[in-house]
């Protein structure tokens, strides 16, 4: 976030999201947007300005907002529901479970500022558990884009998928990252960089960290494969096992609790064909305020350096 | 629909009550009390007021009915079966493993059910969303939502009441089944949300009132709700929990109780003979 600004290679994902949603709304009259007084942060404000009749300001009432979206969806609309990740998954959990997921309502839940990316607001506004909550709900699709390109793709996919989708959008800038071997879409894990000794599964901003770690490890003679997993659910186990069978060990890293997120999903997939695995994430703790997102990622050990330490320990080197 | 023949509607209401009892059966728990208190409201909606097509249940112009107090769905199952959405003979399979008739309404499973409800407090918001679609798409359907009086303790209800007034959805009609009992006792002694009509009015709703067991009065209220004043409409329906079955009326234990074989036969007998009809308060 802080370092050298390479304007062409980075973008603000919520800005990208807002533009992508506007484009989708231009193309598809069924799309409507709802927000709970955060449209300037979630960037649903672009739809609000361009299509005021298809934007519903619901006030600071997330539970009513989510269930109203269900009514819109069950009568033919494609509602994109916006709030901070914490509130759309937490405050409205039961509405999501009962009224969205159970009847497979075509509602898109857009959780902005997930993880520590709302650094200043502290633990109340940060999420450590949003993926764990959403993964436990049947019928849910969870998308956590790793770069601005995937944010655009996620909006297209969310529109195309018939049914509930939870889309996580970070508040922090993201680099555009090239894929070595892309999945068919971001619904499938993508090989970001080849490697033979160890596989690192990552998503969101952590994918860039994993690629950085790979460079460092390479200098130490460790060959790390990096696999990006942007779709946390559904995640068929073959798609994980494909990348774990031929390596000595596995690392997962995510901006989320070590409980219930990507690490858990990988371990569930590899349970019958296990590898020594190190799950890097937030260690069952709440966040706190800081003056930058980077400070929090470093404080909670969500960095390339943490991946390198884990790799050395797993491979008993260094 | 729009059949104001009161003998016809009364006969339908008896059949709905009979269907409720058959859906509960013997020795299985079932939500008799709330289903009976809503039975006449549901009858008036399906057999008098609503525009709906049992052979075309997803017609976009249909009126929508959402049973926010979803535990009373037995009344809706009976009405749907009587309308021909599915066979009447299916009612006793309610809650059986694998049945398309669940303990609470599920739209994926049951033809004619519009939303999954029963986790209380969510149905009015869903109705609001459907009403907004109707306006966006210039369709003239109406959305009817039956709420329980005890359900009004849910905070989300008041979020939806506020939002519906703000968006001036005149095609949304809430009907409060005011039976004065909650699951564990009498509302006035347990948890009373206060003056329901005045609260809705203060939130910007047009408020109508009816005897919830007098079919002519219910029909009048539903017709009056058609007038577009730019406001959502709340019909406060005064009802009796367990209405139509002597031993269940005003009896909290029949909120969700089982019937013995004798009680089952007695209930059917009273319903068929019209016990208690005409002595509406």
């Amino acid at each position: 976030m802080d370092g050298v600004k390479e304007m062409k290679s980075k973008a603000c994902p919520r800005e990208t999201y807002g533009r992508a949603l506007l484009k989708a709304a231009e193309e598809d009259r069924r799309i409507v947007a709802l927000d709970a007084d955060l449209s300037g942060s979630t960037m649903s404000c672009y739809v609000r300005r361009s299509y005021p009749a298809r934007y519903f300001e619901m006030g600071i009432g997330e539970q009513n907002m989510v269930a109203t979206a269900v009514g819109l969806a069950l009568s033919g609309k494609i509602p994109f529901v916006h709030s901070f990740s914490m509130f759309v998954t937490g405050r409205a959990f039961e509405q999501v479970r009962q009224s969205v997921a159970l009847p497979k309502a075509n509602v898109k839940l857009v959780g902005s500022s997930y993880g520590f990316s709302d650094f200043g607001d502290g633990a109340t506004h940060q999420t450590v558990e949003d993926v764990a909550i959403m993964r436990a709900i049947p019928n849910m699709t969870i998308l956590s884009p790793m770069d601005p390109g995937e944010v655009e793709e996620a909006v297209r996919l969310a529109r195309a998928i018939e049914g509930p989708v939870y889309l996580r959008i970070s508040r922090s800038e993201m680099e555009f990252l090239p894929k070595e071997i892309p999945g068919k879409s971001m619904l499938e894990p993508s090989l970001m960089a080849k490697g033979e000794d160890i596989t690192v599964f990552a998503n969101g901003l952590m994918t860039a960290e994993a690629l950085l770690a790979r460079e460092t490890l390479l200098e130490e003679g460790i060959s790390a494969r990096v696999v990006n997993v942007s779709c946390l659910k559904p995640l068929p186990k073959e798609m994980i096992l494909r990348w774990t069978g031929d390596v000595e060990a596995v690392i997962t890293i995510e901006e989320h609790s070590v409980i219930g997120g990507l690490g858990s999903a990988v371990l569930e997939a590899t349970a019958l064909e296990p590898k020594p695995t190190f799950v890097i994430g937030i260690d069952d703790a709440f966040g706190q305020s800081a003056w930058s997102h980077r400070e929090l990622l470093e404080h909670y050990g969500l960095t390339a350096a943490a991946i390198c330490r884990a790799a050395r320990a797993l491979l008993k080197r260094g | 629909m729009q059949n104001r023949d009161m003998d016809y509607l009364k006969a339908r209401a008896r059949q709905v009550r009979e269907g409720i009892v058959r859906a509960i059966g013997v020795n299985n728990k079932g939500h008799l009390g709330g289903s009976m208190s809503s039975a006449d409201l549901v009858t008036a909606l399906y057999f008098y007021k609503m525009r709906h097509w049992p052979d075309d249940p997803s017609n976009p112009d249909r009126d929508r009915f959402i049973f926010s107090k979803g535990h009373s769905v037995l009344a809706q199952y009976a009405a749907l079966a009587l309308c021909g959405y599915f066979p009447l003979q299916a009612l006793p399979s309610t809650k059986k493993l694998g049945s398309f008739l669940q303990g609470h309404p599920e739209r994926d499973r049951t033809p004619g059910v519009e939303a999954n409800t029963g986790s209380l407090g969510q149905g009015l918001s869903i109705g609001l969303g459907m009403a907004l679609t109707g306006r966006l798409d210039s369709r003239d359907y109406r959305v009817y939502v039956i709420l329980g009086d005890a359900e009004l303790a849910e905070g989300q209800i008041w979020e939806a009441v506020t939002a519906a007034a703000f968006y001036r959805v005149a095609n949304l009609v809430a009907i409060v089944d005011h039976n004065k009992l909650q699951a564990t006792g009498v509302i006035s002694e347990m948890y009373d949300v206060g003056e329901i009509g005045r609260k809705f009015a203060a939130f910007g709703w047009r408020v109508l009132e009816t005897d919830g067991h007098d079919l002519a009065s219910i029909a009048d209220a539903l017709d009056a709700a058609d007038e577009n004043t730019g406001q959502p409409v709340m019909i406060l329906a005064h009802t009796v929990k367990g209405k139509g079955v002597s031993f269940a009326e005003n009896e909290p234990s029949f909120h969700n109780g089982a019937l013995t074989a004798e009680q089952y036969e007695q209930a059917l007998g009273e319903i068929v003979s019209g016990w208690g009809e005409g002595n509406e308060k």
Side-chain angles (χ1 to χ4, degrees):
Chain A
M1 281 94 283
D2 301 328
V4 186
K5 290 262 189 292
E6 295 168 80
M7 295 312 290
K8 285 269 166 58
S9 64
K10 286 188 172 181
C12 177
R14 53 191 182 133
E15 183 70 23
T16 306
Y17 169 77
R19 300 280 178 198
L21 182 65
L22 177 60
K23 183 164 175 286
E26 282 164 4
E27 294 166 1
D28 191 337
R29 286 168 43 94
R30 295 173 302 167
I31 289 176
V32 295
L34 298 87
D35 208 311
D37 199 22
L38 286 169
S39 60
S41 291
T42 65
M43 305 315 280
S44 67
C45 55
Y46 291 123
V47 171
R48 186 187 82 209
R49 290 182 201 133
S50 298
Y51 297 99
R54 286 158 60 192
Y55 171 87
F56 298 101
E57 176 57 55
M58 301 308 288
I60 307 162
E62 295 79 9
Q63 303 172 63
N64 178 54
M65 171 171 70
V66 168
T68 300
V70 171
L72 285 157
L74 296 181
S75 48
K77 301 298 175 193
I78 306 177
F80 281 68
V81 176
H82 303 82
S83 183
F84 283 175
S85 179
M86 183 63 249
F87 309 128
V88 82
T89 64
R91 186 57 166 266
F93 162 74
E94 219 233 348
Q95 287 72 16
V96 171
R97 182 205 188 266
Q98 311 282 16
S99 292
V100 177
L102 182 55
K104 305 184 196 80
N106 199 17
V107 173
K108 316 306 168 185
L109 305 158
V110 183
S112 212
S113 297
Y114 77 84
F116 294 138
S117 64
D118 185 12
F119 48 86
D121 281 331
T124 54
H125 286 55
Q126 298 161 350
T127 49
V128 299
E129 70 281 65
D130 59 321
V131 173
I133 294 169
M134 291 292 111
R135 274 187 76 227
I137 303 178
N139 300 334
M140 188 60 65
T141 295
I142 306 174
L143 301 177
S144 190
M146 64 160 191
D147 76 351
E150 281 202 343
V151 170
E152 289 184 351
E153 186 183 353
V155 172
R156 289 195 300 274
L157 277 172
R159 176 184 157 197
I161 291 168
E162 278 277 335
V165 174
Y166 171 51
L167 169 55
R168 307 169 89 204
I169 302 289
S170 181
R171 201 179 180 92
S172 289
E173 277 192 324
M174 285 178 143
E175 286 179 64
F176 285 90
L177 300 174
K179 293 173 179 174
E180 179 87 27
I181 305 177
K184 279 188 204 118
S185 72
M186 66 185 280
L187 298 178
E188 288 186 12
S190 290
L191 179 66
M192 301 302 295
K194 289 177 182 159
E196 290 161 6
D197 299 328
I198 194 162
T199 295
V200 182
F201 291 102
N203 64 18
L205 285 162
M206 295 302 105
T207 300
E209 294 294 320
L211 291 168
L212 276 177
R214 181 175 178 274
E215 298 300 315
T216 306
L217 291 170
L218 215 48
E219 288 166 16
E220 300 171 19
I222 295 175
S223 168
R225 170 188 298 156
V226 176
V227 176
N228 175 68
V229 186
S230 294
C231 180
L232 290 146
K233 190 179 178 180
L235 183 55
K237 66 179 178 182
E238 314 82 75
M239 290 194 185
I240 295 297
L241 293 174
R242 179 182 171 195
W243 303 110
T244 57
D246 59 345
V247 291
E248 282 179 56
V250 170
I251 293 172
T252 67
I253 182 164
E254 64 200 300
E255 191 177 347
H256 185 272
S257 172
V258 293
I259 298 169
L262 173 63
S264 297
V266 168
L267 286 169
E268 288 157 19
T270 59
L272 282 175
E273 298 169 52
K275 296 282 174 177
T277 301
F278 206 113
V279 173
I280 303 174
I282 302 158
D283 194 9
D284 194 19
F286 288 114
Q288 58 181 302
S289 288
W291 287 341
S292 76
H293 189 185
R294 189 76 221 167
E295 278 180 288
L296 285 167
L297 295 177
E298 285 174 4
H299 181 81
Y300 288 90
L302 304 177
T303 59
I307 298 171
C308 292
R309 282 195 299 275
R312 291 178 202 121
L314 283 167
L315 299 175
K316 299 186 174 54
R317 305 206 199 159
Chain B
M1 298 134 242
Q2 291 287 337
N3 186 339
R4 275 211 76 130
D5 178 346
M6 285 304 141
D7 289 336
Y8 166 78
L9 287 178
K10 272 188 181 171
R12 284 309 202 186
R14 284 183 194 178
Q15 289 174 312
V16 166
R17 286 199 163 83
E18 189 184 335
I20 292 167
V21 172
R22 294 197 186 282
I24 293 174
V26 175
N27 291 336
N28 283 322
K29 279 182 137 190
H31 286 95
L32 181 70
S35 300
M36 289 299 190
S37 70
S38 291
D40 297 299
L41 302 169
V42 171
T43 299
L45 285 170
Y46 278 100
F47 297 102
Y48 172 68
K49 191 65 195 173
M50 288 204 302
R51 186 173 65 190
H52 65 114
W53 300 274
D55 52 354
D56 185 14
S58 55
N59 187 306
D61 289 316
R62 72 193 183 280
D63 289 333
R64 272 78 168 166
F65 167 54
I66 295 169
F67 222 154
S68 191
K69 46 171 285 196
H71 56 274
S72 302
V73 71
L74 303 178
Q76 187 180 15
Y77 290 164
L80 289 170
L82 288 163
C83 289
Y85 285 86
F86 49 82
L88 268 169
Q89 293 86 325
L91 290 176
S93 77
T94 300
K95 297 208 280 189
K96 189 179 171 189
L97 180 66
S99 174
F100 71 98
L101 301 174
Q102 293 288 297
H104 287 85
E106 291 196 26
R107 66 173 270 133
D108 277 358
R109 294 181 189 259
T110 310
V113 166
E114 298 282 0
N116 294 27
T117 54
S119 169
L120 297 170
Q122 301 188 27
L124 189 58
S125 306
I126 297 171
L128 168 61
M130 291 177 177
L132 289 169
T133 293
R135 189 159 72 189
L136 276 176
D137 292 353
S138 303
R139 294 188 191 277
D140 66 354
Y141 65 75
R142 309 184 78 76
V143 184
Y144 298 93
V145 181
I146 294 187
L147 303 165
D149 47 4
E151 183 185 11
L152 302 180
E154 290 281 3
Q156 188 187 339
I157 293 284
W158 301 99
E159 293 181 9
V161 168
T162 306
F166 175 72
Y167 280 104
R168 305 178 67 82
V169 282
N171 53 345
L172 178 64
V173 180
I175 304 169
V176 175
D177 177 355
H178 191 18
N179 60 32
K180 288 95 180 166
L181 262 65
Q182 61 191 66
T184 49
V186 179
I187 281 179
S188 60
E189 297 167 3
M190 302 291 291
Y191 185 84
D192 195 338
V193 297
E195 292 192 48
I196 298 167
R198 282 178 59 190
K199 287 194 173 182
F200 272 78
F203 276 70
W205 285 53
R206 186 155 66 98
V207 175
L208 305 170
E209 212 156 344
T210 183
D211 179 327
H213 299 304
D214 177 345
L215 287 156
S217 168
I218 298 168
D220 286 343
L222 291 171
D223 287 344
D226 286 345
E227 188 195 342
N228 185 345
T229 62
Q231 293 167 289
V233 179
M234 189 277 277
I235 300 174
L236 183 57
H238 295 279
T239 57
V240 173
K241 201 157 180 175
K243 175 72 182 173
V245 175
S246 59
F247 57 83
E249 284 197 359
N250 288 315
E251 179 50 64
S253 65
F254 281 99
H255 169 78
N256 187 17
L259 298 172
T260 63
E262 295 73 32
Q263 286 173 323
Y264 179 85
E265 291 305 330
Q266 185 186 341
L268 287 178
E270 289 178 353
I271 290 163
V272 171
S273 69
W275 177 89
E277 283 178 24
N279 61 358
E280 287 77 26
K281 16 140 245 65

